[in-house]
Amino acid sequence: VDRGIYSLECILLLFAIKVRASRYKKSDQLPKKVFLPRGNHECRAITEHFTFRQEVLDKFDLEVFEVIMDAFDSLPLVAIVNQSYILMHGGISPSFKSIEAVNAINRF
């Protein structure tokens, strides 16, 4: 988000791909699994500082913004892909040195 005037459309497309991937059929061209980890812009303070919040309010309303923020709050901070790769946004925090450190965070 916060990368232009179509941030809302981009995140809604990613959410749609994620939902569709959960209903994967062998004939589909979509991947079986889609990982959407949280980045550093998927929080209320950053979306207000940049343009995403205003974009959503211009196109919809505060209720839609809050639903999207709730979805962002639920995104994982870290993902382990194929038991081999750790997936995490570089802007999350350099203090996380292990999966246990991330799991110890009380996010809710």
Side-chain angles (χ1 to χ4, degrees):
V1 300
D2 295 324
R3 295 291 184 230
I5 61 172
Y6 297 110
S7 293
L8 177 60
E9 289 81 357
C10 288
I11 194 61
L12 293 177
L13 175 62
L14 289 170
F15 286 161
I17 290 170
K18 174 77 175 159
V19 169
R20 182 67 179 111
S22 70
R23 299 171 184 206
Y24 171 78
K25 295 181 183 143
K26 198 169 193 172
S27 62
D28 289 342
Q29 296 298 314
L30 292 173
K32 291 181 190 177
K33 294 181 182 179
V34 174
F35 298 92
L36 293 177
R38 184 173 175 152
N40 62 336
H41 278 241
E42 288 75 36
C43 69
R44 285 164 179 79
I46 299 294
T47 61
E48 288 182 31
H49 178 74
F50 289 98
T51 61
F52 185 71
R53 183 179 190 275
Q54 191 57 51
E55 178 186 344
V56 176
L57 295 178
D58 289 345
K59 295 176 181 178
F60 290 97
D61 57 23
L62 185 59
E63 183 179 3
V64 171
F65 175 75
E66 289 298 328
V67 168
I68 292 170
M69 290 296 103
D70 288 345
F72 286 169
D73 288 344
S74 299
L75 293 175
L77 297 177
V78 174
I80 304 296
V81 181
N82 293 334
Q83 303 292 320
S84 300
Y85 303 98
I86 186 167
L87 178 68
M88 144 176 34
H89 188 280
I92 295 294
S93 175
S95 65
F96 296 136
K97 304 291 185 199
S98 68
I99 295 298
E100 291 77 20
V102 175
N103 287 338
I105 298 170
N106 181 359
R107 295 180 55 206
F108 305 102

